Every structure is written in C-alpha cells, then in structure tokens.
C-alpha cells in the first residue's frame, strides 16, 4: 500500500512540475526607481521560457517610464501588477509617438494583480488643456495590439493623458473587473477604444471618464459587453464610421445588463454624412438602465462635430439588424430616443420594444428619420415611425 501511494504522490508532483506550475519572476521594484527597465528584462526572460511564467510587480508605488512588451512568446505569460505604477507627470518626459504601456502579439497573455496604472494626466495635462494647450502627441494609452486568447483582469487605469486603452487587432480577448477612472471633464480620455478584433468581451467593469466609455471602431466582430457601469462620460458608441475609405464592417455586438449614470449618451451609433460606404449590422442592446442620461438611445447618421463636414450628401454606411429591448430609466433632456438614419441608405430590420424612458416633470420625445422599426413591445416615449 505504502509503495503505491508514494508512487501516486511522485506522479502528482511530476504533473505539477510539468503541466500546472508557472515559474514566478519577481520584479525587484524600489521606491523612486523606474520599474520600466526591470519589467522589460523580466519580460525577455518570461517570453523566452518554454513553460508558463508569471511576472510579479509587488505592492508599493513606483514610477514607470514607457514600456513595450512584445511577443510572440514561447508559452503563456501572466503579468501580475499589484503595485500602483505612475507615469511621468510631464508629457515632455515621454516619447509622444509611443504609448505608455504596450503589449503586443502575445498568445495566452494575462494582465492581473489588482494594481493601478496611473497616467497622472491630472497633474499637468488636464489643467493645461483647460487653458487651451493642444497636443495630438500625448502618450498615455495602454495598448493591447494583436493579442490572442488573452485576459485583462482586476486592473485599474487612472487619469490617462489621452485614451485609456486602445485595443487593435487580435482574437479572443476579455476584460474582466477592469476599472477606468478619470474626471468627467478630462478631455479625450476614452475608456476603451476597440477596433479590428474578433471575439472580445468586456464584463463586470466600471468605467468613469471624460469621453466615450467604450468606443468601437471598424473591423469589429463578435463583441460582448455585459455587467458594465458607465459614468461619467459619453456612453457606449459604435463609430464614428464612414470617414476614412476602406473601413471594414462592424458586426455582432451585444450590449446587455449595463448601466449608464449621468452620461451624455447611452447607446449610440454614429456615422459621418457625405461618407465612404460601410456596413454596421447585427447590433443588440438589451436590459439597460439609464439614470439621468442626456441622450439614452441614439442613431446619428449626420454626425459632424465642429462642422467639419458637409451634410449635403447622406452617409453611405448601411445600418441593419439593430435591436433595442428592455431599456428603461430617466433621460436628462426631452429627446430620449433618436433614430436618425441616412436618407441614402435607410436603416433596415430595426426592432424596438419594452422601452420606458421618462424625464422629470414632462413627457419625453422621440425622433425618427429614414427608418420603420418593428415594435416588439411598448415604447415610451412612443415612436411615430413604428410599425
Ligand atoms: C491613443 O489611441 C488613440 C485611439 O486609437 C489614437 O488616436 C492615439 O493616436 C493614440 N495615442 C498615441 C500616442 O498613440
Ligand atoms: C479564449 O481565451 C481564453 C483565455 O486564454 C481561453 O480560456 C479560451 O479557451 C479561449 N476561447 C477560445 C474559443 O479559444
Ligand atoms: C415607466 O417608468 C415610470 C418611472 O420610472 C414608472 O412610473 C412607470 O410605471 C413605468 N411604466 C411602465 C409601462 O413600466
């Protein structure tokens, strides 16, 4: 008996060593010492390892300059940030052409640890922008480029100088318990901008910032947003689309169990007039709670901020198979539902039902143009164009 169980025991040890265990690389971070070079060195080692490894940045507050972590790696890598990492407050001390933290071309990457990436935009950049300072070369994005089968979990991004997160390309990426925090008046600080990726989930996350909560660019397929709370900010936005030639279709977007608190928009689809052709299809919004949202439901195919375009010609981005179900709460302005589709390519197969959006002390209104939505339940405020 004893021999058999000893054998079983050594066999389990063997399994752990060869299949389960992930080698741990600790980053010896020190107060006031730039974590960047230490992290890049640890990454080199982890990425070259033939079995899974975990890089740990321990608890504490450390400065970090720009870091680029590139794959492909030989085995899965997890980066566990338990620390608060702080970007240089002055953008002059950063290369404006590169982003703050880039992770690219890795399969089975995990970012976790409960830590915070503090862009420190509040220190110099937001006050300077308030006084008219303009720059299109601000570095502080987290960029996840061409990641596959990867997870970003339990991480906070704070006060980015520009967009908080930019996701470009890849396949099968999940954001889970992700937090974005910046003041409602911080300029161009979009929460997560996503484009050209297939299969992405954003779940159980809280995004409060000065621009879009989540904005969706072209070439996006199969995106799920669920259990997200947005506010302050500009809401969840598909587009703007149609401005550049060759944009790829956006298809298969499901937004559910999501809450908007005091945002400028709730769920919005926007395309430029006088546009290049494009396709937006199979987009669904369900079980959404709006609290004091200025424009809860918006299709705007004449999106033209600062009069940068001509509205003489219609948008050529075709919208179809769009549904709105179980959306309720309060609108902060009279127009609670705006479905303004293109006169050139009217919206098709739009469904709407179980909508109850009210305003304080009056009746909310709805607007529709170039669309004949199918009513699948009661809609308050009523839609003149419904069938
Ligand atoms: C940050 O991301 C946005 C959105 O994709 C992009 O327009 C901007 O150029 C990026 N910033 C830098 C410094 O790369
Ligand atoms: C997506 O990635 C996760 C995390 O690596 C993995 O567990 C899952 O199996 C992947 N899904 C598919 C369909 O490949
Ligand atoms: C719509 O919402 C208002 C305010 O929340 C509520 O009083 C009303 O009963 C709701 N109507 C329906 C049909 O659910």
């Amino acid at each position: 008996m004893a021999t058999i169980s000893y054998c079983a025991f050594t066999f389990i040890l063997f399994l752990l060593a060869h299949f389960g265990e992930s080698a741990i690389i600790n980053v010896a971070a020190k107060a006031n010492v730039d974590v960047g070079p230490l992290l890049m060195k640890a990454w080199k080692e982890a990425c070259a390892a033939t079995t899974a490894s975990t890089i740990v940045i321990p608890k504490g507050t450390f400065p970090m300059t720009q870091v680029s972590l590139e794959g492909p790696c030989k085995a899965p890598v997890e980066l566990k940030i338990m620390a608060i990492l702080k970007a240089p407050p002055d953008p002059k001390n950063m290369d404006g052409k590169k982003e703050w933290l880039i992770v690219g071309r890795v399969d089975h990457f995990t970012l976790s640890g409960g830590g915070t990436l503090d862009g420190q935009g509040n220190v110099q950049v937001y006050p300077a922008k308030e006084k008219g300072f303009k720059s299109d070369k601000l570095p502080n994005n987290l960029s996840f480029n061409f990641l596959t089968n990867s997870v970003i979990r339990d991480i906070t991004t704070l006060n980015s100088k520009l967009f908080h997160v930019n996701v470009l390309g890849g396949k099968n990426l999940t954001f889970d318990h992700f937090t974005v925090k910046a003041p409602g008046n911080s300029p161009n600080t979009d929460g997560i901008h996503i484009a050209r990726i297939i299969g992405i989930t954003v779940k159980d996350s809280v995004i409060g910032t000065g621009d879009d909560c989540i904005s969706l660019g072209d070439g996006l397929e199969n995106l799920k947003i669920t259990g997200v709370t947005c506010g302050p900010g500009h809401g969840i936005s598909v587009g703007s689309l149609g401005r550049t030639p060759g944009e790829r279709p956006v298809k298969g977007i499901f937004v559910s169990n999501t809450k908007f608190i005091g945002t400028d928009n709730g769920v919005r689809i926007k395309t430029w007039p006088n546009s290049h052709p494009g396709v937006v299809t199979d987009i669904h919004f369900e079980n959404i709670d709006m609290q004091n949202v200025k424009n809860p439901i918006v299709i705007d195919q004449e999106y033209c901020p600062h009069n940068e375009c001509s509205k003489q010609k219609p948008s050529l981005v075709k919208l179809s198979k769009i549904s709105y179900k179980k959306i309720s709460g309060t609108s902060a302005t009279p127009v609670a539902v705006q479905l303004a589709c293109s006169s050139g390519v009217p919206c098709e197969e739009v469904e709407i039902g179980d909508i109850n959006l009210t305003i304080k002390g009056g009746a909310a209104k709805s607007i529709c143009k170039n669309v004949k939505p199918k009513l699948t339940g009661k809609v308050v405020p009523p839609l003149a164009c419904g069938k």
Side-chain angles (χ1 to χ4, degrees):
M1 270 314 264
T3 331
I4 292 167
S5 52
Y6 177 77
C7 279
F9 181 65
T10 42
F11 181 64
I12 287 165
L13 276 185
F14 169 83
L15 277 182
L16 276 179
H18 289 262
F19 299 102
E21 288 284 83
S22 156
I24 298 202
I25 304 168
N26 282 299
V27 172
K30 288 196 199 86
N32 305 319
V33 178
D34 180 9
V35 167
L38 298 170
L39 175 55
M40 284 199 273
K41 195 168 154 261
W43 179 262
K44 233 180 176 175
E45 193 185 322
C47 195
T50 50
T51 53
S53 42
T54 302
I55 300 169
V56 179
I57 304 180
K59 280 195 176 152
T61 300
F62 311 109
M64 186 174 84
T65 50
Q66 282 158 298
V67 169
S68 172
L69 308 176
E70 289 288 332
C73 297
K74 295 215 169 85
V77 180
E78 176 163 358
L79 171 58
K80 210 167 176 174
I81 300 178
M82 300 165 81
I84 298 171
L85 300 177
K86 289 184 174 265
D90 189 342
K92 284 197 213 87
N93 295 332
M94 298 176 86
D95 177 351
K97 284 189 223 87
K98 281 200 218 129
E99 307 184 37
W100 182 31
L101 173 63
I102 303 171
V103 186
R105 296 176 202 280
V106 190
D107 185 34
H108 287 101
F109 171 72
T110 304
L111 178 62
S112 66
T116 296
L117 291 149
D118 181 355
Q120 300 214 85
N122 57 325
V123 181
Q124 289 195 2
V125 175
Y126 306 164
K129 278 191 175 173
E130 220 155 76
K131 294 193 189 114
F133 163 77
K134 281 203 179 96
S135 174
D136 51 0
K137 285 214 171 92
L138 286 168
N140 269 17
N141 288 351
L142 303 183
S143 252
F144 301 115
N145 303 327
F146 303 98
L147 296 183
T148 49
N149 305 311
S150 295
V151 181
I152 315 293
R153 184 197 322 128
D154 295 322
I155 285 288
T156 296
T157 150
L158 181 68
N159 293 334
S160 175
K161 292 186 178 69
L162 205 69
F163 284 31
H164 280 270
V165 177
N166 194 26
V167 175
L168 177 70
K171 204 171 182 179
N172 184 20
L173 175 65
T174 298
F175 286 82
D176 183 7
H177 287 92
F178 188 69
T179 308
V180 175
K181 259 193 229 168
N185 60 0
S186 56
N188 307 113
T189 52
D190 287 43
I192 309 178
H193 179 73
I194 308 171
R196 302 201 171 197
I197 176 165
I198 301 172
I200 172 159
T201 301
V202 181
K203 65 177 187 184
D204 305 329
S205 294
V206 178
I207 301 176
T209 191
D211 209 304
D212 287 338
C213 172
I214 301 177
S215 59
L216 307 173
D218 81 309
L220 196 57
E221 257 176 66
N222 193 5
L223 164 93
K224 216 163 114 184
I225 295 174
T226 187
V228 171
T229 301
C230 288
H234 297 177
I236 293 180
S237 180
V238 179
S240 54
L241 293 167
R243 204 182 194 192
T244 36
E247 285 177 352
R248 303 179 203 170
V250 173
K251 58 183 180 191
I253 295 183
F254 303 84
V255 180
S256 64
N257 305 315
T258 284
K259 193 185 274 187
F260 295 87
I261 305 171
T263 49
D264 278 9
N265 303 285
V267 292
R268 176 164 63 152
I269 302 174
K270 58 187 185 192
T271 74
W272 294 79
N274 191 18
S275 77
H276 296 280
V279 171
V280 174
T281 188
D282 202 9
I283 316 285
H284 308 279
F285 303 102
E286 189 165 349
N287 266 323
I288 293 176
D289 183 15
M290 304 279 182
Q291 294 179 15
N292 204 30
V293 173
K294 283 193 190 135
N295 307 290
I297 296 178
V298 181
I299 291 179
D300 179 5
Q301 295 213 260
E302 287 193 341
Y303 177 75
C304 183
H306 319 296
N307 286 318
E308 286 172 41
C309 57
S310 148
K311 292 192 184 177
Q312 303 300 322
K313 285 189 190 153
S315 172
L316 294 181
V317 178
K318 175 87 184 171
L319 271 50
S320 65
K321 296 197 173 76
I322 319 252
S323 71
Y324 300 91
K325 284 175 189 165
K326 298 190 189 140
I327 301 181
S328 60
T330 52
S331 175
T333 69
V335 179
V337 181
Q338 178 194 338
L339 306 178
C341 293
S342 165
S343 61
V345 283
C347 295
E348 269 172 28
E349 292 178 77
V350 175
E351 289 188 11
I352 183 163
D354 299 317
I355 309 293
N356 186 13
L357 293 164
T358 57
I359 58 167
K360 266 201 198 115
K365 285 190 285 198
S366 58
I367 291 176
C368 42
K369 280 188 206 165
N370 307 310
V371 58
K372 285 207 164 39
K374 180 176 166 203
L375 302 181
T376 58
K378 198 168 178 197
V379 177
V380 177
L383 275 172
C385 56
K387 64 177 181 193

